[in-house]
Amino acid sequence: MSTVLIVEDEERIASFVEKGLRAAGLQTVVARDGATGLAIAQAEACDLVVLDIGLPGIDGWEVLERLRGSGNTLPVIMLTARDSVHDTVTGLENGANDYVTKPFQFAELLARVRLRLREDQGPIGPDINRMVVGAVTLDLRTRRVEVDGAPVSLTAREFTLLHVLMEHPGHVLSREQLLGQVWDTDFDPRSNVVDVFVRTLRRKIGADRIETVRGMGYRFATE
Ligand code: CA
């Protein structure tokens, strides 16, 4: 589970953000001043920082500057006042990943938090929307496929077949299993629809990526 550090001195806002993030399944930690926030971020005790600008002691800009100055790449979302667009641009140039202007709708902040957590490849762990086996990458959200970094266009059914095969790399899946999981109707098990789709998939993603195991079925090669 990801932990969001909220650096905000206004109790009302801190508690509003904290409650919302917790309801969304995230862990939270609150710092009421810049120095405490910086210490928590430096200790890597969080996965993302929501950083207010107006803070007692060192302000949000300085927290950001010191954080980036020490080589820390945690995603940072700044909370800025609506009338300080100039400051916001400066903030983005100085290493903030995103910003939300006050007053804000919680949904807007949450969307940005989720986006930045997903993009961050560091301490968050693997992206649950991406599946990578060898040179093949599936994005389950956008349903995009890449082979060796190059996009490949698949139909919805081809995508599902590839997804099922890639969920079990190196394991043999029978025609019946594939029919059941990809076509989910009671297709005639003697139907050659699986073989036809495998042939098309091989043409699109590379023939040796899907191996035929004679008399048993198909498996996704682990390379
Ligand atoms: Ca403040």
Side-chain angles (χ1 to χ4, degrees):
M1 193 190 283
S2 299
T3 301
V4 177
L5 166 63
I6 303 156
V7 191
E8 169 65 83
D9 57 318
E10 269 176 80
E11 196 165 342
R12 189 180 53 84
I13 297 177
S15 122
F16 160 72
V17 171
E18 185 172 36
K19 278 184 194 145
L21 292 176
R22 286 193 176 172
L26 293 157
Q27 285 180 334
T28 53
V29 47
V30 174
R32 300 241 178 260
D33 62 83
T36 309
L38 183 61
I40 296 171
Q42 297 283 34
E44 294 183 9
C46 60
D47 302 300
L48 180 144
V49 186
V50 173
L51 181 60
D52 186 34
I53 292 169
L55 293 167
I58 60 172
D59 71 6
W61 297 128
E62 195 164 347
V63 171
L64 180 66
E65 197 181 312
R66 291 201 200 172
L67 197 62
R68 295 303 186 230
S70 68
N72 190 305
T73 58
L74 272 179
V76 174
I77 299 173
M78 306 291 290
L79 297 181
T80 69
R82 200 171 284 289
D83 56 5
S84 60
V85 175
H86 173 74
D87 286 356
T88 303
V89 172
T90 311
L92 292 174
E93 282 170 358
N94 290 344
N97 299 82
D98 210 339
Y99 66 92
V100 173
T101 49
K102 283 177 169 178
F104 55 89
Q105 299 284 320
F106 180 72
E108 187 190 347
L109 176 65
L110 180 61
R112 283 161 199 273
V113 166
R114 286 204 162 123
L115 176 69
R116 298 304 165 192
L117 283 174
R118 246 195 331 262
E119 281 176 355
D120 190 67
Q121 299 297 308
I124 316 303
D127 184 342
I128 54 161
N129 291 309
R130 271 168 91 81
M131 181 181 272
V132 183
V133 182
V136 184
T137 303
L138 295 193
D139 189 317
L140 304 176
R141 209 160 25 95
T142 60
R143 299 181 76 81
R144 289 212 179 97
V145 181
E146 286 182 1
V147 178
D148 284 323
V152 173
S153 165
L154 299 185
T155 65
R157 191 77 75 179
E158 289 162 0
F159 185 92
T160 308
L161 175 60
L162 181 59
H163 181 195
V164 170
L165 286 164
M166 284 175 66
E167 274 181 325
H168 312 277
H171 291 250
V172 181
L173 295 171
S174 69
R175 284 176 182 74
E176 290 74 17
Q177 283 174 312
L178 291 170
L179 269 178
Q181 289 191 46
V182 180
W183 281 267
D184 68 45
T185 45
D186 36 8
F187 248 94
D188 180 348
R190 290 161 300 177
S191 154
N192 72 341
V193 65
V194 173
D195 310 83
V196 171
F197 271 77
V198 165
R199 215 174 300 145
T200 319
L201 260 187
R202 279 177 171 154
R203 207 171 54 234
K204 292 184 174 181
I205 67 163
D208 50 2
R209 298 214 155 85
I210 303 172
E211 299 168 343
T212 303
V213 183
R214 209 162 285 283
M216 294 177 73
Y218 294 105
R219 79 175 154 219
F220 196 83
T222 50
E223 298 181 303

